[in-house]
């Protein structure tokens, strides 16, 4: 679930909790894939039948690929959630999680100094307590 959609539907705090839970599920998956790779490597031998050797090799390669992908996904989701949490504190009244969408959603382009794959999404939010507006990247 994207940040703007999450704030609108379930609120920032629950969105943040769900992001952390989902990212840690990716971490657990990565760990289990690593255990699978190590178990296949431990039992690997060229003296086994050819089909079993090939199957272990395929399992090790697939497990390593999934392990790397899930670890990268974990780190990306965790970084995004942490950056959003750091920007969810009102600068005027210091209220955490008391925010709502202000309706301003725009994309920062590469011409403004961001990466060339579409840039960052800027989400405008407003404090429920004092009405101060700011953006979350």
């Amino acid at each position: 679930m994207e940040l703007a959609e999450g704030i609108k539907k379930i609120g920032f705090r629950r969105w943040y909790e769900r992001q952390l839970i989902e990212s840690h599920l990716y971490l657990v998956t990565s760990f289990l894939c690593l255990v699978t790779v190590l178990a296949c490597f431990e039992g690997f031998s060229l003296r086994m039948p050819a089909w079993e050797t090939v199957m272990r090799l395929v399992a090790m390669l697939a497990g390593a690929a999934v392990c790397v992908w899930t670890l990268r996904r974990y780190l990306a989701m965790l970084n995004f959630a942490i950056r959003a949490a750091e920007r969810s504190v009102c600068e005027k009244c210091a209220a955490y999680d008391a925010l709502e969408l202000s309706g301003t959603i725009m994309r920062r382009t590469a011409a403004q100094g961001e990466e060339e794959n579409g840039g960052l999404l800027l989400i405008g939010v407003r404090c429920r307590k004092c009405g101060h507006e700011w953006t979350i990247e």
Side-chain angles (χ1 to χ4, degrees), residues 68-134:
V68 169
W69 179 78
T70 56
L71 189 60
R72 288 180 54 123
R73 181 79 177 145
Y74 162 72
L75 292 173
M77 287 182 74
L78 192 63
N79 276 338
F80 181 69
I82 288 172
R83 277 187 291 145
E86 288 172 351
R87 296 285 299 150
S88 68
V89 179
C90 179
E91 296 167 355
K92 286 195 173 182
C93 66
Y96 176 73
D97 182 38
L99 51 95
E100 58 190 18
L101 286 181
S102 68
T104 310
I105 300 176
M106 60 184 149
R107 188 169 292 277
R108 184 184 291 173
T109 61
Q112 294 170 325
E114 295 302 320
E115 62 262 357
E116 295 179 10
N117 62 357
L120 292 174
L121 190 65
L122 299 174
I123 300 165
V125 293
R126 179 182 320 118
C127 180
R128 283 190 215 134
K129 293 184 179 180
C130 69
H132 176 69
E133 291 190 20
W134 70 96

Side-chain angles (χ1 to χ4, degrees), residues 57-69:
L57 208 60
V58 167
M60 286 182 350
L61 291 175
V66 172
C67 179
V68 169
W69 179 78

Side-chain angles (χ1 to χ4, degrees), residues 10-75:
I10 60 176
F12 179 78
R13 186 176 302 237
R14 291 189 64 201
W15 173 86
Y16 181 68
E17 290 171 354
R18 287 182 182 189
Q19 287 294 110
L20 290 181
I21 290 169
E22 186 177 344
S23 68
H24 282 84
L25 286 175
Y26 279 111
L27 179 66
V28 168
T29 303
S30 178
F31 179 73
L32 292 176
C33 288
L34 180 64
V35 168
T36 301
V37 168
L38 293 175
C40 288
F41 185 71
E42 182 182 7
F44 187 78
S45 173
L46 294 175
R47 296 179 188 193
M48 295 186 298
W51 66 270
E52 191 173 342
T53 303
V54 170
M55 291 303 291
R56 284 187 190 262
L57 208 60
V58 167
M60 286 182 350
L61 291 175
V66 172
C67 179
V68 169
W69 179 78
T70 56
L71 189 60
R72 288 180 54 123
R73 181 79 177 145
Y74 162 72
L75 292 173

Side-chain angles (χ1 to χ4, degrees), residues 1-16:
M1 181 181 301
E2 291 186 20
L3 178 59
E5 183 182 333
I7 290 173
K8 185 188 287 185
K9 286 186 179 179
I10 60 176
F12 179 78
R13 186 176 302 237
R14 291 189 64 201
W15 173 86
Y16 181 68

